[in-house]
Amino acid sequence: MIEHDVVIIGAGLAGMRCALKVCKDLDVGVLTKVYPSRSHSGAAQGGIAAALGNVEPDSWEEHMYDTIKGGDFLNDQDAVEEYVKAAPDIIYELEHMGCVFSRTPDGKIAQRSFGGHSKPRACFSADRTGHAILHALHEQLMKNSKSVKIYNEWYMHSLIIDGDRCNGVVVSNIQTGEVEVIRAKAVVFCTGGYGRVYKITSNAFASTADGVMAAFEVGIPLEDPEFVQFHPSGLYRQGILFSEAARSEGGYLLNGKGERFMEAYAPSRMELAPRDIVARAEQSEMDAGRGVNGEDCIHLDLRHLGKERIMERLPQIRQLGIDFIGVDCITDPLPIQPTAHYSMGGIPVDKGCHVILDSEGTKMHGFFAAGECACVSVHGGNRLGTNSLLDAVVFGERAGESILEYVKGKDLGNVNEGEEKAKVLEKFEDVFQRDGSESYNDIRDEMKEIMTTHCGVFRDAEKLKVCIETLKGLQERFKKGKVTDKGKVFNTEIYEIMELGNMLGMAVIIATAALERQESRGGHFRTDFPKRDDEKYLHHSMVYDSPDGLVIKTKPVVITKHQPTERTY
Amino acid sequence: MATFRIKRFNPEKQPEPYFEEFNLDIADGATLLDCMNEIKWTLDGSLTYRMSCRSAICGSCAVKANGHALLACQRQGEHLLDNDDTITLEPLGNMKPIKDLVVDFTPFWDKINKVKPYLEPKDEAPAKERHQSQEEFRIIDDASTCIMCGACYSDCNTLEVDDNFLGPAALAKAQRFVGDSRDSKTLQRVQDLSEPGGIWDCTHCGECVERCPKPARPFDRIKEIMTVALENGVHNNNGARHALSFTNSVKRSGNLNENRIPVESMGFFNIPGLLSLIPIGLRMLLKGKVPPVIHHSIDEVDDVKRIFKELDQ
């Protein structure tokens, strides 16, 4: 049995920031199913928000209000306040670690505008900000390699829970197929999002709900899963990301008639309205037959920015266009469509990243979560661009701080190694023993298709019911899937199957919570209930498992400074 | 219909690799990675490779296609077809295959670790950010785009014969700190990088620049470290002496003094090094390859000198 004081699952921004916080004092294991530098945080492009005021005067108060308004007032305002106040120092700290930032003419960290932010507060490194931060943190981990053990290409299967305490995780080494138990005083999930449940998504193949489902399976609820963000500029058909930075630098969105249609939807902010509003505007244009060539496609036009600005500020986006569709944005507009991008919901945690079980804040001791897999909730119903990198770094650090406090005087908990291992080995065996009459690929495709068409940008009760029924049918078929690779060494097929099982479970949870919330707020839009309904739904959803199926309870929203008002841009 | 000729290897089944062919219609706009997924998900679930982001930023999916390393997600399948409508896929080179297209990255990361790949700042952290000018940022901008995909490492010609070479990715990573205005260890870094296995063992073939899927272009970064090393007077090694001797020879005579360069590269007081040249010299003598003892300048040597003078200015 492997033992650590702390085991962190996931080595993106949140996981590595957490590891750096605790590694001076504690023995740390970091487990990732890829390599740290391959984590999906690295795909973030546009920036990381902080009211540094390097370009224009700015304040945490404005950052707080923008975040809350952007989140359609579902954010917990006490958490938002702490989070935006922590932002400047956390950025300076990244810079001190060596993170490469683009600079102002006087040598400060450069900042640009972003959707829903009233001031230019996105600190950036050209159009690869996530990459820059990810590598800076990875460099620091390499520097501290003596006190942090990194498990590259290991997969986390389940949590080990004893009553109200978490004692470790069951994992396996992808390279060898060996199942192991890791016993730890504290377990941290930084496992990212689950955009892969959608057909059109910006998410990596690795973003498959492993963490959130492992938590859900041991009785932890999931908070606000119906809130999924659709990013307005995914590459047409592929879904990969063209940063919002393209619009902050001045890019236009044009429909099939060549009109800047945002005029009709958000006249004051135009292309820089929050993502939920822009994505809905695009989808409305396409649904009305005004897509480019009548297809589900909109044009992102950067031509007027000129070659020099594009090469300096958006070089990676330009290259993506050339490589993936043969379009050079210097001379031609890029074809885009809304793409599933970010999960506002996740494992419920308090401001200190302790995982909580209910609206009273009852803790699951020794279990922490941070980053996209967690729901604090600082983003409410819709996250503003550049607030997610900030979330990951701020709360990664917070989780570390809470752990330093938590582990004082704690011993490792009791773990029945044999029993825990056996449960996971059974899962493997179960997959190998299935009758093989169904294709996992078909099941995956059908899941992604139904989630995109029936639980996407626009939802209604009818569609959601069909979606849930379809998904339940897929879950049955999943039990009969066909596996070809029965080996132990680097069996990616078996892990993809386990990921698919997690995604099917997650998809049902998203759709069920979406059906329950009969209003439109932030990223969740019901065409049958197109208005926000604060009287009935100004609360978080808490989805629980039960023998009779999913149960949805509520948790109040913390409102401190800003009473909900109508949200217009 | 395209043919994918894929090198398969599964140590659990048989010790030797073999090629297997799959036929597939390449869908419109499909990347090579899309094609590989199509094969895995519809034809043979045991086909094994790494992948994650699909957008050329995570560096997982580097493989060899038609003999050269590339990122599978970054290339259109159609563009890689050879004259027989075939794409040949193999694992990356210079690393040990684990299964099919998956290789062991351990030596790659060990070498990244060797270059102390983290900032060693000059002073105590200020209250806010350290300042860095836009020009200073540009010096490290390209190196910082490296995604650690291993494509350069795979196709590096030096690594093929010399395991000790740090390799293009680690050296590009090193330049990211050598060139960083916030770093305090520039001299120490270029001294370490001038040791055997470092910058001077690069053969300047430029293969890494061809393979790099990002603007990191390792050989360009290696040249930048060489410049910093020479500017900082780090000459006490064969590589630097060779570069200086080479330059001096051209500067003086317009061509290479092939008798002088090996001696100057070894260093006049490096007795064991000079002795080690004797067997090579003798072999050259026997094969009639020894250059003339008296070195002649080219006719237009004054023009060469003028060029150097202008370069100096």
Side-chain angles (χ1 to χ4, degrees):
Chain A
M1 186 156 56
I2 303 166
E3 289 178 355
H4 290 290
D5 291 330
V6 187
V7 62
I8 299 167
I9 314 298
L13 258 52
M16 289 203 280
R17 188 62 195 81
C18 179
L20 289 171
K21 182 75 184 178
V22 295
C23 71
K24 299 263 183 316
D25 303 290
L26 302 170
D27 164 44
V28 188
V30 178
L31 186 132
T32 161
K33 63 178 179 177
V34 286
Y35 280 81
S37 71
R38 321 235 184 269
S39 306
H40 198 50
S41 306
Q45 296 172 349
I48 177 166
L52 303 185
N54 281 357
V55 178
E56 267 180 45
D58 196 3
S59 66
W60 67 262
E61 287 91 343
E62 289 162 280
H63 189 183
M64 177 173 174
Y65 181 69
D66 291 344
T67 300
I68 292 165
K69 185 182 175 192
D72 222 347
F73 297 91
L74 193 70
N75 327 51
D76 287 326
Q77 297 185 7
D78 55 339
V80 178
E81 182 169 338
E82 288 194 21
Y83 154 79
V84 297
K85 278 181 175 171
D89 281 340
I90 213 97
I91 303 289
Y92 295 139
E93 201 180 48
L94 289 172
E95 198 280 338
H96 297 158
M97 286 178 186
C99 183
V100 178
F101 283 108
S102 296
R103 300 285 171 157
T104 62
D106 57 350
K108 294 181 191 165
I109 294 172
Q111 296 191 282
R112 63 179 158 211
S113 303
F114 240 78
H117 289 282
S118 57
K119 291 289 165 65
R121 67 170 71 97
C123 310
F124 62 96
S125 180
D127 52 0
R128 44 168 197 282
T129 313
H131 168 86
I133 302 173
L134 185 74
H135 282 259
L137 292 175
H138 189 213
E139 288 157 11
Q140 294 299 309
L141 268 197
M142 291 193 268
K143 186 176 179 182
N144 289 288
S145 55
K146 285 201 179 73
S147 42
V148 184
K149 161 89 177 150
I150 298 180
Y151 298 86
N152 293 313
E153 300 186 316
W154 285 58
Y155 185 90
M156 183 276 304
H157 294 273
S158 55
L159 281 160
I160 302 172
I161 299 292
D162 183 8
D164 62 353
R165 184 176 164 183
C166 176
N167 288 330
V169 280
V170 189
V171 299
S172 66
N173 181 342
I174 296 172
Q175 287 197 19
T176 63
E178 289 306 320
V179 175
E180 296 274 3
V181 169
I182 303 182
R183 191 157 74 133
K185 295 171 189 170
V187 174
V188 196
F189 273 15
C190 303
T191 54
Y194 36 79
R196 292 305 305 177
V197 300
Y198 287 91
K199 180 180 169 191
I200 303 295
T201 175
S202 64
N203 282 198
F205 282 110
S207 303
T208 53
D210 311 331
V212 283
M213 286 310 290
F216 189 71
E217 276 162 18
V218 295
I220 288 157
L222 295 182
E223 183 174 347
D224 294 342
E226 66 272 37
F227 291 96
V228 174
Q229 177 167 85
F230 294 88
H231 193 292
S233 49
L235 170 62
Y236 180 48
R237 288 199 190 129
Q238 287 269 4
I240 61 170
L241 187 62
F242 285 134
S243 173
E244 189 170 317
R247 279 170 287 136
S248 17
E249 294 295 339
Y252 298 149
L253 294 175
L254 305 177
N255 63 16
K257 293 168 150 181
E259 298 162 336
R260 280 181 78 187
F261 56 87
M262 284 310 296
E263 183 93 47
Y265 300 88
S268 75
R269 295 287 294 172
M270 293 295 283
E271 281 87 356
L272 282 184
R275 288 173 181 171
D276 57 328
I277 293 172
V278 182
R280 271 196 296 280
E282 290 180 355
Q283 195 65 49
S284 301
E285 291 296 304
M286 299 184 313
D287 291 351
R290 291 193 293 272
V292 174
N293 301 327
E295 290 178 50
D296 270 359
C297 171
I298 289 293
H299 269 159
L300 172 61
D301 192 351
L302 306 178
R303 290 174 293 182
H304 56 286
L305 300 181
K307 185 175 178 183
E308 197 179 329
R309 188 146 185 97
I310 290 174
M311 293 306 292
E312 185 199 333
R313 295 292 183 90
L314 306 163
Q316 179 178 262
I317 291 177
R318 173 176 179 249
Q319 199 59 46
L320 285 173
I322 292 170
D323 292 339
F324 286 82
I325 36 163
V327 173
D328 184 344
C329 63
I330 292 173
T331 53
D332 292 290
L334 293 162
I336 58 164
Q337 69 181 120
T339 185
H341 183 59
Y342 187 84
S343 40
M344 272 71 75
I347 303 168
V349 293
D350 65 13
K351 288 178 285 177
C353 303
H354 303 91
V355 174
I356 55 173
L357 297 164
D358 51 37
S359 55
E360 275 77 55
T362 310
K363 284 176 191 159
M364 171 59 80
H365 298 286
F367 185 30
F368 302 79
E372 190 176 344
C373 73
C375 180
V376 184
S377 148
V378 288
H379 306 305
N382 170 62
R383 173 179 70 74
L384 292 186
T386 70
N387 267 354
S388 66
L389 292 182
L390 183 65
D391 172 354
V393 188
V394 166
F395 289 104
E397 199 255 6
R398 277 293 160 89
E401 197 174 287
S402 296
I403 289 162
L404 289 174
E405 190 56 37
Y406 171 79
V407 298
K408 277 182 193 162
K410 290 271 186 322
D411 294 321
L412 289 166
N414 288 325
V415 170
N416 186 333
E417 188 187 7
E419 202 176 281
E420 295 296 342
K421 260 192 191 174
K423 278 191 264 181
V424 168
L425 286 168
E426 248 168 58
K427 279 192 191 179
F428 276 102
E429 206 43 44
D430 167 52
V431 175
F432 290 136
Q433 295 305 330
R434 291 176 187 174
D435 71 12
S437 55
E438 292 285 348
S439 147
Y440 287 116
N441 188 45
D442 292 348
I443 297 169
R444 183 168 41 227
D445 283 349
E446 288 171 43
M447 170 192 73
K448 291 155 77 81
E449 184 71 37
I450 195 85
M451 285 300 284
T452 296
T453 56
H454 285 59
C455 190
V457 176
F458 290 118
R459 304 160 172 181
D460 65 46
E462 214 47 50
K463 279 185 183 174
L464 288 167
K465 283 177 190 160
V466 172
C467 180
I468 294 166
E469 280 319 299
T470 308
L471 291 168
K472 286 184 174 163
L474 292 175
Q475 282 182 313
E476 286 309 308
R477 285 166 56 193
F478 177 75
K479 294 174 187 162
K480 297 181 233 165
K482 180 172 187 292
V483 62
T484 13
D485 192 345
K486 300 196 172 177
K488 290 187 83 174
V489 174
F490 228 102
N491 186 339
T492 51
E493 189 186 26
I494 191 99
Y495 289 101
E496 283 181 2
I497 293 168
M498 295 198 180
E499 290 170 341
L500 176 58
N502 288 333
M503 287 194 284
L504 286 168
M506 192 63 223
V508 175
I509 293 169
I510 296 170
T512 307
L515 181 62
E516 178 83 6
R517 186 175 283 274
Q518 296 182 343
E519 65 156 354
S520 292
R521 183 190 298 272
H524 170 70
F525 197 96
R526 289 280 299 260
T527 50
D528 45 353
F529 298 95
K531 290 262 182 289
R532 195 174 85 197
D533 184 349
D534 287 339
E535 218 163 280
K536 282 192 190 152
Y537 292 101
L538 184 55
H539 56 67
H540 298 291
S541 313
M542 297 283 271
V543 184
Y544 291 80
D545 202 4
S546 87
D548 306 323
L550 300 179
V551 176
I552 301 182
K553 297 183 186 173
T554 64
K555 182 167 132 264
V557 174
V558 180
I559 294 173
T560 56
K561 288 197 159 75
H562 302 289
Q563 286 303 317
T565 56
E566 203 193 341
R567 179 177 178 247
T568 52
Y569 287 92
Chain B
M1 181 74 76
T3 303
F4 287 78
R5 212 172 139 258
I6 305 181
K7 196 168 192 178
R8 306 294 306 267
F9 170 61
N10 183 352
E12 288 179 296
K13 288 197 166 157
Q14 67 178 69
E16 292 305 320
Y18 59 95
F19 277 95
E20 186 173 357
E21 291 189 355
F22 297 94
N23 294 319
L24 190 74
D25 279 321
I26 298 181
D28 190 29
T31 62
L32 172 58
L33 181 60
D34 291 334
C35 299
M36 288 155 63
N37 283 334
E38 192 66 19
I39 294 171
K40 181 173 180 69
W41 294 339
T42 62
L43 300 175
D44 184 350
S46 71
L47 180 64
T48 304
Y49 45 90
R50 292 185 174 105
M51 60 168 180
S52 192
C53 77
R54 311 172 295 141
S55 50
I57 192 70
C58 80
S60 297
C61 67
V63 293
K64 262 190 184 179
N66 303 332
H68 299 297
L70 47 72
L71 281 185
C73 76
Q74 197 186 25
R75 300 296 192 86
Q76 298 284 303
E78 287 282 349
H79 297 172
L80 294 166
L81 290 171
D82 67 11
N83 294 336
D84 302 322
D85 278 340
T86 299
I87 301 175
T88 303
L89 296 180
E90 294 168 89
L92 292 180
N94 291 328
M95 286 176 272
K96 219 175 88 198
I98 295 174
K99 182 177 171 186
D100 291 345
L101 303 175
V102 173
V103 299
D104 181 8
F105 262 72
T106 311
F108 175 90
W109 286 109
D110 285 349
K111 286 172 181 175
I112 298 288
N113 258 305
K114 273 193 186 165
V115 302
K116 300 208 174 82
Y118 40 81
L119 191 75
E120 306 231 42
K122 283 185 170 140
D123 37 37
E124 281 295 291
K128 293 188 172 182
E129 72 266 54
R130 290 191 176 86
H131 284 207
Q132 185 167 53
S133 71
Q134 293 178 337
E135 292 69 35
E136 287 166 338
F137 161 76
R138 271 182 215 115
I139 294 172
I140 55 175
D141 187 21
D142 285 338
S144 72
T145 65
C146 173
I147 57 173
M148 304 284 161
C149 66
C152 59
Y153 194 95
S154 160
D155 288 17
C156 173
N157 288 302
T158 306
L159 277 167
E160 209 177 311
V161 293
D162 180 8
D163 283 344
N164 192 40
F165 183 47
L166 284 168
L171 291 173
K173 185 77 178 172
Q175 190 276 332
R176 141 96 198 73
F177 297 101
V178 167
D180 196 322
S181 59
R182 301 167 294 177
D183 194 80
S184 64
K185 300 279 192 261
T186 313
L187 181 63
Q188 184 63 51
R189 287 182 191 276
V190 291
Q191 280 168 347
D192 292 348
L193 293 165
S194 298
E195 294 289 315
I199 45 175
W200 300 109
D201 284 1
C202 166
T203 58
H204 302 205
C205 70
E207 191 74 23
C208 53
V209 173
E210 294 292 313
R211 301 300 147 232
C212 181
K214 289 280 159 182
R217 301 170 63 92
F219 176 49
D220 290 353
R221 309 287 81 79
I222 293 172
K223 283 188 284 188
E224 286 162 358
I225 304 175
M226 288 171 171
T227 306
V228 177
L230 294 178
E231 281 171 358
N232 277 276
V234 182
H235 299 164
N236 192 22
N237 58 75
N238 293 5
R241 279 191 296 259
H242 180 78
L244 292 171
S245 169
F246 199 100
T247 318
N248 281 333
S249 177
V250 176
K251 195 174 177 178
R252 275 197 295 263
S253 62
N255 62 4
L256 295 183
N257 183 339
E258 293 181 60
N259 287 323
R260 198 178 168 93
I261 286 178
V263 177
E264 283 189 348
S265 300
M266 278 299 170
F268 286 111
F269 304 105
N270 179 1
I271 305 299
L274 291 174
L275 289 174
S276 75
L277 290 176
I278 290 173
I280 306 169
L282 287 175
R283 281 207 298 279
M284 286 169 74
L285 196 65
L286 288 171
K287 302 270 181 194
K289 300 267 185 195
V290 173
V293 178
I294 298 171
H295 181 68
H296 295 285
S297 298
I298 60 167
D299 295 341
E300 302 85 356
V301 67
D302 286 343
D303 291 342
V304 174
K305 282 180 183 164
R306 220 172 22 249
I307 292 169
F308 269 89
K309 204 170 166 192
E310 256 181 49
L311 281 173
D312 280 345
Q313 282 161 2

